[in-house]
Every structure is written in structure tokens, then in C-alpha cells.
């Protein structure tokens, strides 16, 4: 039993780790952090191996949550740097002048952010996003539309301020 469990976990790791780490890399823009997040997601899966029905989805949702925590930590660090210095050369660009899509996605409410991350960044079909989030496909489609509209408005506003 344990040997077959270990084999199944090893096969899952070999099949999914590179793609999960690549997905995380696009979200956090750092190889080492991406590998840490992907490894942590697999560690959490392994701890719940016998109770997780959909390991693929569990990994991506877990990684999305860890990425969100990473983004929050980075934002706290940016705010601390802003408070610690008043020199404009040291202060990072404010979110209004940085139309980074990653920052805009990060600012979305979780209800909209998770479907965006799973559908567009993990290339999951709407049907799979629906199953993983426990929402109807129509709701996922509506959330994706609402998120795209919010991103469009924020991006336009950011671009208008930078002109």
C-alpha cells in the first residue's frame, strides 16, 4: 500500500511539478520563490494525500493561496520601505504609475482573482475552474467577465495617469 502510494505521488510530482513551478514563476517573477511555492504546494498535498480527491486542482489552488500570501508580504515590505525613506529615488513606483497586470490581478477580490489565476495563468478550462471553486460554470464566466472589466478600467486609469 505504502509503496503504491509513494509511486503514485512520485508520478504526480514528475508530471505536474514543472508546469506548476512555471505557472508560479510567471506570477512571482522569481525562480527560487516559484520553486519554493510549488514545493510547498506538493508538501501540503502529501500531508493530505489520502483525503484529496483532485490532486491537480488542490495543487493549483494551494499554490494560488501561497502566491497571494507572497504578494501580501511583498506589499507589506514595499510599504515599510516607503515609510522608512522619503527619498524619491529609493521609493518604488506607486501602484497608480505601475500598470503591472500582476499588481492589478493581485488587487482583485479573491472571488474574482482565483478564477483569473486558474483560467488564464494555469490554463484550466472553465469547467475545471467551476469544479475547483465549487461554483457553477455560468458564475465562473460572469466572475471572469467582471474581473476582466475591472482590470480594463484599472489599466486604462493607470495608463492615463502615466501620460
Amino acid at each position: 500500500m505504502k509503496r503504491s502510494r509513494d509511486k503514485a505521488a512520485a508520478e504526480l510530482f514528475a508530471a505536474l511539478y514543472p508546469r506548476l513551478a512555471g505557472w508560479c514563476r510567471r506570477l512571482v517573477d522569481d525562480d527560487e520563490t516559484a520553486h519554493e511555492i510549488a514545493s510547498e504546494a506538493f508538501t501540503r498535498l502529501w500531508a493530505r494525500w489520502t483525503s484529496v480527491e483532485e490532486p491537480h486542482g488542490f495543487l493549483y489552488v494551494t499554490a494560488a493561496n501561497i502566491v497571494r500570501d507572497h504578494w501580501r508580504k511583498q506589499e507589506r515590505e514595499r510599504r515599510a520601505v516607503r515609510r522608512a525613506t522619503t527619498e524619491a529615488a529609493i521609493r518604488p513606483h506607486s501602484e497608480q504609475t505601475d500598470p503591472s497586470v500582476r499588481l492589478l490581478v493581485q488587487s482583485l477580490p479573491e472571488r474574482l482573482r482565483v478564477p483569473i489565476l486558474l483560467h488564464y495563468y494555469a490554463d484550466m478550462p472553465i469547467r475545471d475552474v467551476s469544479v475547483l471553486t465549487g461554483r457553477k460554470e455560468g458564475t465562473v464566466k460572469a466572475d471572469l467577465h467582471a474581473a476582466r472589466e475591472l482590470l480594463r478600467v484599472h489599466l486604462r486609469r493607470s495608463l492615463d495617469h502615466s501620460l
Side-chain angles (χ1 to χ4, degrees):
M1 178 79 169
K2 180 166 175 20
R3 193 170 293 253
S4 66
R5 177 183 153 188
D6 291 349
K7 183 179 179 192
E11 289 172 357
L12 183 72
F13 184 84
L16 293 181
Y17 183 85
R19 187 169 179 195
L20 181 66
W23 179 70
C24 292
R25 169 67 173 85
R26 289 192 308 271
L27 294 173
V28 298
D29 201 30
D30 177 64
D31 283 333
E32 185 177 339
T33 303
H35 284 283
E36 287 175 8
I37 291 169
S39 297
E40 178 64 22
F42 270 96
T43 300
R44 291 181 189 184
L45 172 63
W46 184 248
R48 295 168 183 80
W49 183 253
T50 57
S51 64
V52 173
E53 291 182 27
E54 177 51 55
H56 182 262
F58 178 90
L59 287 168
Y60 276 91
V61 169
T62 301
N65 288 335
I66 297 169
V67 165
R68 182 196 63 224
D69 293 343
H70 171 76
W71 286 345
R72 286 179 178 164
K73 180 182 176 197
Q74 280 186 319
E75 183 55 32
R76 284 191 303 269
E77 289 171 355
R78 278 193 289 272
R79 281 193 297 251
V81 167
R82 284 186 208 129
R83 282 191 304 267
T85 182
T86 57
E87 298 176 24
I90 296 174
R91 187 174 56 237
H93 295 295
S94 70
E95 288 184 21
Q96 282 116 1
T97 61
D98 181 6
S100 164
V101 173
R102 183 185 61 80
L103 288 175
L104 295 175
V105 170
Q106 176 186 350
S107 72
L108 290 172
E110 184 171 357
R111 176 181 67 82
L112 302 178
R113 183 179 56 248
V114 170
I116 287 284
L117 292 174
L118 294 175
H119 183 66
Y120 291 108
Y121 288 86
D123 297 322
M124 287 189 182
I126 290 174
R127 175 179 59 263
D128 292 353
V129 175
S130 171
V131 170
L132 293 173
T133 60
R135 299 181 195 145
K136 294 181 180 178
E137 285 185 36
T139 303
V140 170
K141 289 177 184 177
D143 287 346
L144 289 170
H145 175 75
R148 286 190 307 268
E149 288 303 312
L150 277 174
L151 292 172
R152 186 175 294 123
V153 167
H154 288 300
L155 190 58
R156 278 192 185 130
R157 189 176 308 137
S158 295
L159 291 173
D160 287 346
H161 287 299
S162 65
L163 294 178

